Amino acid sequence: MAGLLQVVVLLVLLAAAWRPLGDWMARVYTDDGDWGVERLVYRIARVDSRSEQRASTYAVAVLAFSFAGVVLFYLLQRLQTLLPWSFDRGAVEPGIAFNTAISFVTNTNWQSYVPETVMGHTVQMVGLTVQNFVSAAVGMAVAVALVRGFVRSRTDRLGNAWVDIVRGCTRILLPIAAVAAVALVATGVVMSLRAGVDVVGPDGRPSTIALAPAASQESIKELGTNGGGIFNANSAHPFENPNPISNLLEIFLLLLIPVSLTRTFGRMVGSMRQGVSLLAVMAGLWAAMLAVIWTADARSASFAGANLEGKEVRFGIPGSALFANSTTGTSTGAVNSLHDSFSAFGGGGAMLNMLFSEMTPGGVGTGLYSILVVAIVAVFLAGLMVGRTPEYLGKRLGRREVTCAVVVVLTMPALVLLGTGLAIALPSTADAMTNSGPHGLSEVVYAYASASNNNGSAFAGLTVTSGFFQTTLGVAMLLGRFLPIVAVLALAGLLARQPRLAPSSGTLSTGTPLFSVLVAGTIVLVAAITFLPALALSPLAEGLA
């Protein structure tokens, strides 16, 4: 009952925030005026906030901004010895610095190091935390550009990438993260610039308990669906997530913007039913996977009752399952328990969330544009079945539009399957896996699913510090982030050039429960066709053994 009460409270909080936050974000991205701080940023960066960009220019701006972020963040890590609050931790090794820079710029936040012994506070605050803000703002900007493609007609302009990124930070992410950081401090999350506290253990041996400015990073790490922890144990660490109240608050933060963006979408296209239909898909799949993960670990056949291995007692099965389902259904990747220790079907459920391409409800911005792409595919398939020219939101879906959508849909599966296949083919991978057999394969599939979806969580039994894993996972993060973004922006440009068609008797109604079922079925069907053989050899084989 306590677990169900957590779910009810979470849903009530999300329902209460859905309308005001969704409407506010719609105003942010349609407002003609600039705030004073925004004008200062534009003046420094020499940006004309009144000019709008074509799809190609918008894409170049996003790619250039992200590339600059990788370079600057890499240099910041390599020059750590020159920075204050480095605590003599030395320069970050080149391979780790490169992988980490890619990871945080792509909103993946995959960490193959121990943060409290490798990163000083300056690198954490200036590098990791800043990227947590701007990478999330990039995702929202791309989603809004796609929505503008549906809204606008007979134009090649999608807005201004620099303006959209800046507004996402100043008007949405920064204000909410600041309030959330204060709330997290009130629940017991630490916020300190000290390196640690010296203590003496019961056996008389001295040791140091690490401290960090955790609350400020914890708030944006969840709000921006980033996930990288300031401590190695991530949100299982009592300094990041001390009690059930902070746990519920963090889950609320990581779901807040992806859920509310469905209302933003409905408001911008002028039909709230369109946003509600997508929200119903997200909510239905989220609830179904929560039931699978929770039930699997609450009634595990491998344990005497519930499976509490790898879970914090202060959260129990309900708090751990709710967090695991939400963090893998978004692109967050933060963890409050060890996913490697979940039961076969519980861990498989978390993996399947990512193999759904994280649309339940998905990452900040990425969830909205991903489910819109699947909606386009669903409309196209429906049109083929009834012999009608497919249209969605008044825009005709021809060969070029569907090609862009298919590129987005197939990028992640290709990266996961190719990466996993290469890894399994190497003899050295067996030494990197803690477990053999189906569970060992699950560890490898999970790693590439996490990297390709820009999630960042892991089945921690896989050691990925080798050059092969650092390189291939880094490539998966880059391609998994930027190939879909380029294809989405190309799609947005194609849609914006079209005239808006009036609905006719042959137009498929898309704001209905039937359409929600069609979109959900498309998501499940694509995942099943693509990944069923891999799943049959990993979590399914383990669970049925």
Side-chain angles (χ1 to χ4, degrees), residues 351 355 416-417 420 438 441-442 445 528 530-541:
M351 186 191 303
L355 299 181
V416 173
L417 296 177
T420 301
L441 179 58
S442 294
V445 174
T530 310
F531 295 110
L532 187 57
L535 293 172
L537 294 173
S538 42
L540 291 177

Side-chain angles (χ1 to χ4, degrees), residues 152-453:
R152 298 181 177 185
S153 61
R154 294 188 172 90
T155 180
D156 60 354
R157 307 292 166 161
L158 292 177
N160 189 307
W162 308 112
V163 172
D164 292 338
I165 292 171
V166 169
R167 287 185 179 183
C169 289
T170 58
R171 303 192 191 187
I172 300 170
L173 295 171
L174 275 166
I176 300 176
V179 174
V182 174
L184 287 171
V185 169
T187 66
V189 178
V190 301
M191 188 69 187
S192 173
L193 292 178
R194 297 176 62 182
V197 177
D198 295 327
V199 297
V200 178
D203 57 359
R205 296 181 181 179
S207 61
T208 300
I209 298 177
L211 291 174
S216 59
Q217 181 162 320
E218 194 71 17
S219 62
I220 186 57
K221 128 184 170 183
E222 309 295 6
L223 180 66
T225 61
N226 295 282
I230 204 164
F231 296 109
N232 192 42
N234 207 282
S235 292
H237 198 294
F239 287 175
E240 284 195 36
N241 191 7
N243 52 57
I245 295 177
S246 64
N247 191 60
L248 188 62
L249 175 58
E250 291 182 17
I251 297 171
F252 168 72
L253 287 173
L254 64 90
L255 292 171
L256 177 60
I257 292 178
V259 167
S260 299
L261 276 172
T262 57
R263 182 172 179 89
T264 302
F265 167 67
R267 181 65 66 191
M268 291 182 70
V269 300
S271 174
M272 199 55 60
R273 293 198 309 169
Q274 303 294 335
V276 171
S277 68
L278 298 183
L279 178 61
V281 177
M282 296 174 173
L285 291 175
W286 179 86
M289 296 315 300
L290 175 62
V292 169
I293 297 171
W294 189 339
T295 303
D297 274 59
R299 300 179 178 275
S300 176
S302 302
F303 295 84
N307 172 21
L308 283 168
E309 178 188 312
K311 299 176 180 64
E312 296 295 310
V313 175
R314 65 185 185 277
F315 304 138
I317 297 290
S320 300
L322 184 58
F323 200 108
N325 183 60
S326 300
T327 195
T328 53
T330 60
S331 65
T332 310
V335 294
N336 74 346
S337 55
L338 190 63
H339 291 185
D340 197 35
S341 291
F342 275 55
S343 65
F345 293 136
M351 186 191 303
L352 188 56
N353 271 331
M354 294 188 292
L355 299 181
F356 282 156
S357 200
E358 292 179 341
M359 290 176 272
T360 58
V364 168
T366 61
L368 179 60
Y369 70 65
S370 295
I371 200 167
L372 283 173
V373 165
V374 173
I376 288 173
V377 174
V379 170
F380 178 73
L381 293 176
L384 289 179
M385 288 187 287
V386 298
R388 293 173 178 169
T389 302
E391 299 172 11
Y392 184 45
L393 299 179
K395 296 301 176 78
R396 198 179 302 276
L397 304 178
R399 177 181 57 82
R400 293 186 298 172
E401 290 82 4
V402 174
T403 298
C404 290
V406 169
V407 169
V408 177
V409 170
L410 294 184
T411 294
M412 181 273 293
L415 292 173
V416 173
L417 296 177
L418 288 173
T420 301
L422 282 173
I424 293 299
L426 291 179
S428 58
T429 301
D431 297 328
M433 295 189 298
T434 304
N435 301 276
S436 59
H439 195 79
L441 179 58
S442 294
E443 293 173 349
V444 179
V445 174
Y446 193 103
Y448 284 97
S450 179
S452 302
N453 280 291

